[in-house]
Amino acid sequence: MILSVLDLVGVAVFAISGALAAGRKSLDLLGVVVIAVVTAVGGGTLRDVLLDRHPIFWIAHPMYIVVITAAALATVAWSRRLRPPEKSLVIADALGLALFSITGAQIAQQAGLSPVIVIMMGTMTGTAGGMMRDVLTAEIPMILRPTMELYATAAIAGIALYLGLEALGVPRDPSAVAGMAAIAALRLAAILTNLKLPVFSLPPEVGKPPPG
Amino acid sequence: MILSVLDLVGVAVFAISGALAAGRKSLDLLGVVVIAVVTAVGGGTLRDVLLDRHPIFWIAHPMYIVVITAAALATVAWSRRLRPPEKSLVIADALGLALFSITGAQIAQQAGLSPVIVIMMGTMTGTAGGMMRDVLTAEIPMILRPTMELYATAAIAGIALYLGLEALGVPRDPSAVAGMAAIAALRLAAILTNLKLPVFSLPPEVGKPPPG
Amino acid sequence: MILSVLDLVGVAVFAISGALAAGRKSLDLLGVVVIAVVTAVGGGTLRDVLLDRHPIFWIAHPMYIVVITAAALATVAWSRRLRPPEKSLVIADALGLALFSITGAQIAQQAGLSPVIVIMMGTMTGTAGGMMRDVLTAEIPMILRPTMELYATAAIAGIALYLGLEALGVPRDPSAVAGMAAIAALRLAAILTNLKLPVFSLPPEVGKPPPG
């Protein structure tokens, strides 16, 4: 796979989101770079490890790590003077989610896996890096919490659309573009309309092993 | 390996425990499914990755993911009206621990590994998913804390019994059943008698790198 | 690779640091051993998984697990009466960091990887176990926080020195020794002079997805 500009823009956006999360936790510069790297490549790495695809994509193409480090340090430099362009970042993040979810799904597809696993691998490619970012900053992953508008759900829906269109005979590339558009549109529409999944809430003691 | 009913019941029980943990943290429905999946397949996945067994068991058999998702959503539906059947869940969980620990140990055994690693891999198969569940919900893993009655310890003892019986010439299947029975019995006896491992407690500043 | 005494001393030191962290969180004895194992072998395991090196080093050499378990339990026994020898531990930890970072880098080098990835893999080998220890004890990894004197940074600098010397024609072994000496010296000097990386600090709401 040749690195496309799109791929590099995608990891850069995820790197910025990681760097900002590191800043909210007041980490040091190394912490900023580590969180940025984990956020940007965590999902694809997990996918590659689980599918036994070696070399892992960023080991084959170290340019990813260079771009991520540069994006993380640029975020620090920018933030010394200006607030991050939050609206643009939200839009870029939705596009990154769309891109990585569909390309991740395609990789699982090429390995001949069943639709359930293709959807899981695609969604994981798009979202697991952000979950690792949150775990490393000692937070419950944002995308699992009821304060978050549709995120992984948008990825699942878009991948399902992509697979459905292909199954109906639509060629691969237009199906992929439709899937990506659906993910980005659903994510952004969810933010605008404050659309969230229902919450599942239990009292703290329910279902815990009883005191002996 | 053909999926046995037993295996599927085992992952379903672990999925329920994950779904309940997600409910205690008030996650959304996607969070419930993610935590359920991680709890149910996390241990076996770590084992397969570390032993380089591909395809990972649930990639080979996506039915696992279907059963886990169904169990997680059924837990949500059930909990809207009724409390979870806590006693039954504790018993089912002990059986799940017993099943996964011994089958995990057998997989490591078939790879020709030494007893130390067989015990570790078996215990990890039975317990690492629950540890990942706790990490994702921003808790120190329950099974490492002194409030928990014997859990991983029961798995270690049962696997050691299984290996010991085999070494003494007892055939594989009865040895495995004896090991599983020992794990479940030890776990349940520990709950009934409040049996815990000793705690190791240090003041918060001991052994920290000194301020420079 | 034959296990050297040095390697075993290195994992033992990291195991002690893990056991002490477990004690500060008042875990039980199993928790102490689990945290010690993760701290000591976590970095090398991640390296081996990412580089597809099988069997993982401690599966090939279970002696690692035996030494780690013994070191963890000895730490518990010692701490019942005496405070841990904090100064000696800090020095031993710096030597462990130096050893693992350079040997980790060499393993990546032998796989023919580029300098960026060699530095990353070496640093990860030396530091990821400690990060996993902190995640399992529900803390933001110590080495990412601004309260920590140079740690991963020392590893990066020492590996870069090692690669630079080799590139200049210095033979492998003296280059490696120089790199290790640089890491340990830099780490200890940073502690003595309280040398830290700059912090990146943002208000808690910056860059978060806006409420919909």
Side-chain angles (χ1 to χ4, degrees):
Chain A
M1 182 184 58
I2 298 170
L3 289 189
S4 68
V5 172
L6 216 59
D7 266 334
L8 291 175
V9 171
V11 294
V13 168
F14 280 15
I16 294 170
S17 114
L20 294 174
R24 288 193 298 270
K25 293 287 178 167
S26 297
L27 302 188
D28 70 15
L29 286 188
L30 178 94
V32 171
V33 173
V34 169
I35 302 288
V37 169
V38 168
T39 307
V41 307
T45 303
L46 185 58
R47 174 203 63 212
D48 285 355
V49 166
L50 293 177
L51 295 183
D52 200 25
R53 292 177 83 234
H54 292 279
I56 305 283
F57 73 101
W58 50 268
I59 294 180
H61 300 287
M63 182 51 60
Y64 280 113
I65 303 300
V66 175
V67 167
I68 290 164
T69 305
L73 296 178
T75 304
V76 173
W78 171 287
S79 304
R80 292 214 188 282
R81 306 217 179 169
L82 300 162
R83 267 179 86 91
E86 276 154 8
K87 277 200 180 164
S88 317
L89 282 175
V90 166
I91 294 171
D93 182 78
L95 296 174
L97 173 68
L99 177 69
F100 289 144
S101 300
I102 295 293
T103 54
Q106 289 182 323
I107 287 169
Q109 234 184 343
Q110 283 155 17
L113 301 174
S114 69
V116 169
I117 303 297
V118 168
I119 291 176
M120 230 178 122
M121 287 291 157
T123 307
M124 190 185 285
T125 306
T127 65
M131 293 178 58
M132 294 180 198
R133 170 201 65 207
D134 295 343
V135 165
L136 281 176
T137 53
E139 300 273 4
I140 297 180
M142 214 180 268
I143 68 161
L144 308 180
R145 287 185 295 190
T147 46
M148 184 77 166
E149 308 84 7
L150 300 191
Y151 194 92
T153 312
I156 293 170
I159 300 169
L161 176 65
Y162 161 67
L163 293 178
L165 289 174
E166 273 208 331
L168 293 172
V170 179
R172 185 183 169 85
D173 282 356
S175 301
V177 170
M180 287 188 205
I183 293 171
L186 195 48
R187 167 69 182 141
L188 292 173
I191 293 175
L192 289 173
T193 62
N194 199 14
L195 184 61
K196 295 166 184 173
L197 285 180
V199 58
F200 176 47
S201 196
L202 291 173
E205 77 287 358
V206 170
K208 275 216 170 167
Chain B
M1 181 183 57
I2 297 168
L3 289 189
S4 68
V5 173
L6 216 58
D7 266 335
L8 291 175
V9 171
V11 294
V13 168
F14 280 15
I16 294 169
S17 114
L20 293 174
R24 288 193 298 269
K25 294 284 176 168
S26 298
L27 302 188
D28 70 15
L29 287 188
L30 177 95
V32 170
V33 173
V34 169
I35 302 286
V37 169
V38 168
T39 307
V41 307
T45 302
L46 186 57
R47 175 202 64 212
D48 284 355
V49 166
L50 293 177
L51 295 182
D52 200 24
R53 293 177 82 234
H54 292 278
I56 307 283
F57 72 101
W58 51 269
I59 294 179
H61 300 286
M63 182 50 60
Y64 280 112
I65 304 299
V66 175
V67 167
I68 291 164
T69 304
L73 295 178
T75 304
V76 173
W78 171 287
S79 305
R80 292 215 189 279
R81 305 217 179 172
L82 300 161
R83 265 179 86 92
E86 277 153 5
K87 276 199 181 162
S88 317
L89 282 175
V90 166
I91 295 171
D93 182 79
L95 296 175
L97 173 68
L99 176 69
F100 289 143
S101 300
I102 296 293
T103 54
Q106 289 183 323
I107 286 170
Q109 235 184 343
Q110 282 155 16
L113 301 173
S114 68
V116 169
I117 303 297
V118 169
I119 290 175
M120 232 179 119
M121 287 290 156
T123 307
M124 190 185 286
T125 306
T127 65
M131 292 178 58
M132 293 178 198
R133 170 199 64 207
D134 296 343
V135 165
L136 281 176
T137 52
E139 299 272 4
I140 296 180
M142 215 179 266
I143 68 160
L144 308 180
R145 287 185 294 190
T147 46
M148 184 78 167
E149 308 85 7
L150 300 191
Y151 194 91
T153 311
I156 293 170
I159 300 169
L161 175 65
Y162 160 68
L163 293 177
L165 289 175
E166 273 208 332
L168 293 172
V170 179
R172 184 182 169 84
D173 282 357
S175 301
V177 170
M180 286 188 205
I183 294 171
L186 194 49
R187 168 69 182 141
L188 293 173
I191 293 174
L192 289 174
T193 62
N194 199 13
L195 184 61
K196 295 165 185 174
L197 285 180
V199 58
F200 175 48
S201 196
L202 291 173
E205 78 287 358
V206 170
K208 274 218 171 163
Chain C
M1 182 183 58
I2 297 168
L3 289 189
S4 68
V5 172
L6 216 57
D7 267 335
L8 292 175
V9 171
V11 292
V13 168
F14 279 14
I16 294 170
S17 115
L20 294 173
R24 287 193 298 270
K25 294 286 178 167
S26 297
L27 302 188
D28 71 14
L29 287 188
L30 177 95
V32 171
V33 172
V34 169
I35 302 287
V37 168
V38 168
T39 307
V41 307
T45 302
L46 185 57
R47 176 202 62 213
D48 284 356
V49 166
L50 293 177
L51 295 182
D52 200 24
R53 293 178 82 234
H54 292 279
I56 306 282
F57 72 101
W58 50 268
I59 294 179
H61 300 286
M63 181 52 58
Y64 280 111
I65 303 299
V66 174
V67 166
I68 290 164
T69 304
L73 296 177
T75 303
V76 174
W78 171 288
S79 304
R80 292 213 189 283
R81 306 217 179 172
L82 299 162
R83 264 179 88 91
E86 276 152 8
K87 276 199 183 164
S88 316
L89 282 176
V90 166
I91 294 170
D93 182 78
L95 296 174
L97 174 68
L99 177 68
F100 289 143
S101 299
I102 295 294
T103 54
Q106 289 183 323
I107 286 169
Q109 234 184 343
Q110 284 157 15
L113 301 174
S114 69
V116 169
I117 303 297
V118 168
I119 290 175
M120 231 179 121
M121 287 290 157
T123 307
M124 190 186 285
T125 306
T127 66
M131 292 179 58
M132 294 179 198
R133 169 200 66 207
D134 296 342
V135 166
L136 281 176
T137 53
E139 300 272 5
I140 296 180
M142 214 179 269
I143 68 160
L144 307 181
R145 287 185 294 190
T147 46
M148 184 78 167
E149 308 84 7
L150 301 191
Y151 194 92
T153 311
I156 292 170
I159 300 168
L161 175 66
Y162 161 67
L163 293 177
L165 289 174
E166 272 207 333
L168 293 172
V170 179
R172 185 180 168 85
D173 282 357
S175 300
V177 169
M180 287 188 205
I183 294 171
L186 196 48
R187 167 71 181 140
L188 294 173
I191 294 174
L192 290 173
T193 62
N194 199 14
L195 184 60
K196 295 166 185 174
L197 285 180
V199 59
F200 175 47
S201 197
L202 292 173
E205 77 287 0
V206 170
K208 275 216 171 168

